[in-house]
Amino acid sequence: MRGGQSLAEALESYLAEWSERTGIVVETWALPATDVPSRVSNGVMAAMREALSNVELHSRARTVSIAVTVGKSGLRMTVSDNGQGFPVTGQGRGIARMRAAFAEIGGSLSVNSVHGEGTTISGVVPKQR
């Protein structure tokens, strides 16, 4: 994260750059309205970069939808593409890296993919007590 930048600002600039570079449309459904601890922000950004790298390299998607929300229960990240999907048994290093990024910040990540319809990645970080 650049100095003083909120997670929402960091995501906005990264998503705009990525979309312009790849030609894949990004629909941003939600970005966090509140500040997020930098440790959590860094983990979310690492997972987001990995997720979008996978979309770019493997999905053949035309559109990817992004939502990152912060509520009473914690933070939730969703990255959903309209690409070709893949067998979830064939999870590669990218998914392992995303899971590790979320595990490091006390969260978990799930991957749901439907052949011919796309992939949705959901990460959750419970609110730290």
Side-chain angles (χ1 to χ4, degrees):
M1 249 30 108
R2 298 182 189 114
Q5 204 178 31
S6 73
L7 177 58
E9 291 164 337
L11 283 165
E12 263 176 354
S13 57
Y14 181 74
L15 294 170
E17 274 166 34
W18 182 85
S19 179
E20 198 169 298
R21 184 174 55 75
T22 62
I24 298 169
V25 175
V26 173
E27 293 178 345
T28 306
W29 291 344
L31 292 176
T34 57
D35 273 344
V36 175
S38 61
R39 201 172 79 71
V40 174
S41 292
N42 291 338
V44 169
M45 285 303 295
M48 182 67 72
R49 282 191 289 271
E50 192 62 53
L52 291 176
S53 171
N54 285 348
V55 170
E56 179 184 356
L57 295 172
H58 307 298
S59 75
R60 298 195 185 124
R62 290 174 307 287
T63 306
V64 61
S65 305
I66 308 286
V68 180
T69 56
V70 178
K72 285 183 182 68
S73 59
L75 178 141
R76 176 177 294 274
M77 173 188 97
T78 307
V79 179
S80 196
D81 72 56
N82 68 351
Q84 63 185 1
F86 66 96
V88 179
T89 53
Q91 295 182 8
R93 289 191 301 269
I95 290 171
R97 284 193 290 270
M98 285 185 281
R99 285 189 200 282
F102 263 78
E104 254 173 55
I105 54 177
S108 61
L109 188 105
S110 63
V111 178
N112 186 3
S113 191
V114 177
H115 186 71
E117 290 182 27
T119 302
T120 299
I121 293 162
S122 303
V124 178
V125 182
K127 195 152 198 85
Q128 259 77 62
R129 301 270 173 261

